[in-house]
């Protein structure tokens, strides 16, 4: 009987041990399936590069001609200011100077300070009494300790000498008469440095496209192939070619420091870069290069920014 109890006790102990072991394995298995915490590192914030004042960062699709047009410049100025050897090769992200070297940044004004010297502008006192021990100029006699009397007053007046202020001698430069050239601008045209221009229509056709912000950068005038395209104002041809995608055969005229005009989709161009043209001069023949119909695409740009030509052209 005792042997049987001992056997049952051993079996019970073994079963309890197996049960405990099984529970431990289950707990361990569950614990092992719990994922360990993972440290997530945030990527460093990427800041888009910003061009310095007076500089421009080249973007995909840019050309020297498009950059010049967008900033109211002659593309040859960009070449000179940036010492570009190959005008047909500029790199995305390249920084280009779009303001003449040495010119003040936008909103800044050059300040001219007067030049002062050790003797210029300095007053000198003559006929005064001896200088004080500090080296200054004595301008008034010291009050004496002599009792007041008529004789003392006379002596004081005889000794006192009013200081004389002597201005430094400055050479006087006579202004030279201004020499004006004999060039007589056409009536209504602004001077080269001015802004206002009396524009004329560049073609006689029907208006088939109008200006829109973010869309059409100018107006479109229909016509027949070969019809005259006229300069809307006097100026200098700063571009003549096919280097701007979407414009076909293009002419750009710079009128002054503020305004450019562009004439696109021409069949034939009659002027060369660097040539001066007058208002109303025939500069091209209407065509359909890079266009779906014969038309003139005409733009007016102020400081490189497209503006609505209908606000500048005379009504018709």
């Amino acid at each position: 009987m005792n042997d049987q109890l001992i056997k049952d006790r051993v079996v019970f102990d073994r079963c309890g041990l197996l049960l405990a072991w099984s529970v431990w394995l289950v707990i361990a298995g569950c614990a092992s399936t719990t994922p360990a915490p993972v440290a997530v590192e945030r990527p460093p914030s990427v800041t888009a590069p910003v061009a310095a004042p007076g500089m421009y960062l080249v973007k995909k699709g840019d050309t020297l001609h498009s950059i010049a047009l967008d900033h109211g410049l002659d593309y040859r100025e960009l070449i000179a200011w940036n010492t570009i050897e190959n005008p047909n090769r500029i790199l995305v992200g390249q920084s280009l100077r779009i303001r003449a070297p040495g010119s003040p940044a936008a909103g800044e004004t050059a300040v001219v300070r007067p030049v002062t010297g050790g003797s210029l502008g300095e007053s000198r006192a003559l006929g005064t009494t001896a200088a004080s021990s500090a080296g200054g100029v004595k301008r008034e006699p010291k009050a004496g300790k002599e009792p007041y009397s008529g004789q003392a007053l006379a002596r004081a007046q005889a000794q006192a000498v009013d200081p004389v202020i002597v201005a430094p001698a400055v050479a006087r430069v006579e202004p030279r008469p201004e020499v004006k050239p004999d060039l007589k601008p056409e009536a209504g045209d602004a001077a080269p440095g001015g802004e206002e221009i009396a524009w004329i229509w560049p073609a006689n056709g029907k208006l088939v496209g109008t200006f829109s912000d973010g869309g059409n950068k100018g107006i479109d005038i229909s016509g027949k192939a070969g019809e005259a395209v006229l300069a809307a104002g006097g100026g200098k041809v700063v571009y003549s070619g096919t280097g701007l995608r979407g414009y076909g055969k293009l002419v750009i005229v710079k009128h002054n420091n503020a305004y450019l005009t562009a004439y696109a989709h021409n069949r034939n161009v009659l002027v060369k870069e660097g040539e001066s043209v007058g208002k109303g001069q025939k500069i091209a023949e209407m065509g359909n290069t890079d266009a779906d119909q014969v038309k003139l695409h005409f733009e007016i740009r102020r400081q490189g920014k497209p503006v609505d030509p209908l606000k500048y052209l005379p009504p018709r």
Side-chain angles (χ1 to χ4, degrees):
M1 184 67 178
N2 292 334
D3 293 339
Q4 184 64 36
L5 291 174
I6 292 171
K7 290 180 180 180
D8 293 341
R9 180 65 180 270
V10 171
V11 171
F12 178 79
D13 290 342
R14 287 179 178 176
C15 290
L17 181 61
L18 290 173
L19 180 62
W21 179 255
S22 300
V23 172
W24 184 86
L25 288 177
V26 171
I27 294 173
C30 293
S32 63
T33 58
T34 303
V38 178
V40 179
E41 295 183 0
R42 295 180 180 273
S45 58
V46 179
T47 304
V50 178
M55 306 296 290
Y56 174 80
L57 293 178
V58 177
K59 300 189 297 292
K60 185 177 180 181
D62 281 343
T63 65
L64 279 182
H65 302 110
S66 65
I67 296 171
L69 179 61
D70 289 341
H71 292 87
L73 301 171
D74 184 339
Y75 77 94
R76 288 166 293 189
E77 293 175 323
L78 293 178
I79 295 174
W81 296 345
N82 296 279
T83 60
I84 297 175
E85 296 182 358
N86 184 359
N88 297 318
R89 186 175 183 271
I90 55 176
L91 305 177
V92 174
Q94 182 178 352
S95 183
L96 295 179
R97 181 184 294 277
I98 54 174
R99 189 178 295 119
S103 62
E108 294 182 357
T109 303
V111 178
V112 179
R113 300 184 182 276
V115 179
T116 58
S119 58
L120 294 179
E122 180 181 316
S123 298
R124 299 179 183 272
L126 301 180
T128 61
T129 57
S132 64
S133 58
V137 178
K138 189 174 182 181
R139 300 179 182 274
E140 296 180 0
K142 289 185 178 179
K145 296 181 180 180
E146 185 177 357
Y148 174 78
S149 66
Q151 294 179 353
L153 178 60
R155 283 195 300 270
Q157 290 176 345
Q159 291 176 358
V161 180
D162 291 335
V164 179
I165 306 301
V166 180
V170 179
R172 183 177 179 183
V173 179
E174 295 292 339
R176 295 183 178 179
E178 182 181 359
V179 179
K180 296 183 178 180
D182 293 334
L183 297 177
K184 295 182 180 179
E186 187 173 350
D189 274 356
E195 287 195 2
E196 299 306 321
I197 297 174
W199 305 96
I200 64 170
W201 281 78
N204 295 322
K206 180 181 178 181
L207 186 67
V208 293
T210 57
F211 175 88
S212 63
D213 289 322
N216 193 1
K217 297 180 180 179
I219 60 174
D220 298 316
I221 304 171
S222 66
K224 297 181 180 179
E227 285 189 8
V229 174
L230 311 178
K236 179 181 178 182
V237 179
V238 296
Y239 181 76
S240 175
T242 58
L244 274 77
R245 184 179 302 173
Y247 284 85
K249 291 185 178 180
L250 172 68
V251 176
I252 300 176
V253 177
K254 184 171 185 178
H255 303 279
N256 52 32
N257 294 332
Y259 288 103
L260 296 174
T261 50
Y263 310 77
H265 307 313
N266 301 293
R267 181 181 74 175
N268 190 24
V269 173
L270 306 178
V271 291
K272 299 178 180 179
E273 292 179 7
E275 182 178 343
S276 295
V277 296
K279 181 170 66 175
Q281 178 179 336
K282 183 178 178 180
I283 58 175
E285 295 176 349
M286 195 177 296
N288 62 345
T289 55
D290 249 354
D292 55 358
Q293 68 178 92
V294 175
K295 64 180 179 180
L296 169 66
H297 175 74
F298 174 70
E299 295 181 8
I300 296 179
R301 297 204 176 203
R302 185 179 185 276
Q303 305 293 352
K305 180 181 179 181
V307 295
D308 187 356
L310 296 181
K311 295 182 179 180
Y312 294 80
L313 296 173
R316 66 174 187 177

